[in-house]
Amino acid sequence: MPSCDSRWHFYFCSLMSRIELIKGDITKIKADAIVNAANSSLMGGGGVDGAIHRVGGPAILEECRKIIAKQGSCKTGEAVVTKARNLPAKFVIHTVGPVWYNGKKNEAALLAACYQNSLKLAIKHNLSSIAFPNISTGLYGYPKEEAARIAINTVKEFLDQNDLITKVYFVCFDEENCQLYKLQIQQN
Ligand code: AR6
């Protein structure tokens, strides 16, 4: 199996040229928005959530606090937006992935909703590039191969019907996810 380069580009048909796979740290990505794999409290945590708040600075948490005060918790599958503060991106879209319960709690639809709602929010804010981490595949325990399939198919379907998003980056932190995404993208 070929190994992942640090930055891996895929250019296939015109649709796939809008999708790019990157191996690395999402906090370094200069997109209009990066997506955070948050929890319903939006009060930060470990994994990519911890990294985004650490690099972005405390103003992101402050903005999250205001959102929660206004609307209550962010439910699984939903998404909200804050500024990205000290990050190179312009905005952070915080979405809450499903915890994996052996597929018994509607996890697949909830995971797809994370990608759909994040993309919808990007369009609502006139953003044209967005970077996703591998939502739910860390602490929340979603099987990585299935999560990659859902992520790619959901994004592809969305891009098919929306021209406003010109670039979607899938940012894989670990080699296993990177290989899985590579295979899935090649199969499309
Ligand atoms: N850049 C990109 N991807 C990353 C980074 C990074 N800097 N760090 C980790 N990942 P996780 P979840 C990958 O656990 O499963 C938090 O505590 C990681 O390798 O961050 O949705 C929240 O507050 C994995 O593939 O998110 C929630 O409580 C992927 O990001 C909970 O974890 C997701 O792993 C959410 O769990």
Side-chain angles (χ1 to χ4, degrees):
M1 199 179 281
S3 75
C4 268
D5 302 323
S6 60
R7 193 175 166 100
W8 221 75
H9 304 260
F10 289 88
Y11 294 108
F12 295 122
C13 62
S14 63
L15 173 64
M16 292 312 274
S17 73
R18 291 153 72 196
I19 292 179
E20 190 171 329
L21 178 58
I22 293 173
K23 187 180 180 202
D25 180 350
I26 204 164
T27 65
K28 296 193 164 35
I29 304 293
K30 201 176 167 186
D32 288 344
I34 60 168
V35 175
N36 182 16
N39 59 64
S40 291
S41 77
L42 298 186
M43 288 298 100
V48 68
D49 194 9
I52 285 173
H53 281 284
R54 215 163 29 245
V55 180
I60 295 182
L61 199 63
E62 203 38 56
E63 218 179 321
C64 286
R65 209 168 263 132
K66 285 183 184 150
I67 291 168
I68 293 290
K70 203 170 157 192
Q71 67 157 52
S73 70
C74 183
K75 295 191 178 57
T76 305
E78 292 183 354
V80 301
V81 65
T82 66
K83 291 189 189 119
R85 308 294 174 169
N86 301 333
L87 288 156
K90 292 182 194 152
F91 293 90
V92 178
I93 293 175
H94 306 260
T95 189
V96 182
V99 176
W100 177 251
Y101 290 105
N102 291 315
K104 292 176 183 140
K105 294 208 169 179
N106 204 25
E107 292 97 314
L110 289 167
L111 186 60
C114 288
Y115 288 93
Q116 285 156 350
N117 287 328
S118 298
L119 289 162
K120 281 183 197 163
L121 207 49
I123 284 181
K124 192 174 160 194
H125 289 264
N126 278 318
L127 309 179
S128 55
S129 61
I130 181 168
F132 285 102
N134 312 134
I135 300 166
S136 281
T137 65
L139 191 69
Y140 282 180
Y142 209 109
K144 289 180 178 174
E145 190 172 357
E146 180 59 6
R149 197 185 60 76
I150 291 169
I152 291 162
N153 288 345
T154 306
V155 166
K156 263 191 66 192
E157 262 172 41
F158 192 94
L159 293 183
D160 241 343
Q161 321 213 334
N162 291 277
D163 293 335
L164 295 170
I165 304 279
T166 54
K167 199 61 136 180
V168 174
Y169 302 98
F170 286 116
V171 183
C172 299
F173 200 56
D174 58 272
E175 181 67 21
E176 189 188 353
N177 261 320
C178 193
Q179 292 295 347
L180 287 168
Y181 270 73
K182 216 173 183 180
L183 281 174
Q184 293 275 351
I185 289 171
Q186 279 167 340
Q187 280 163 15
N188 267 282

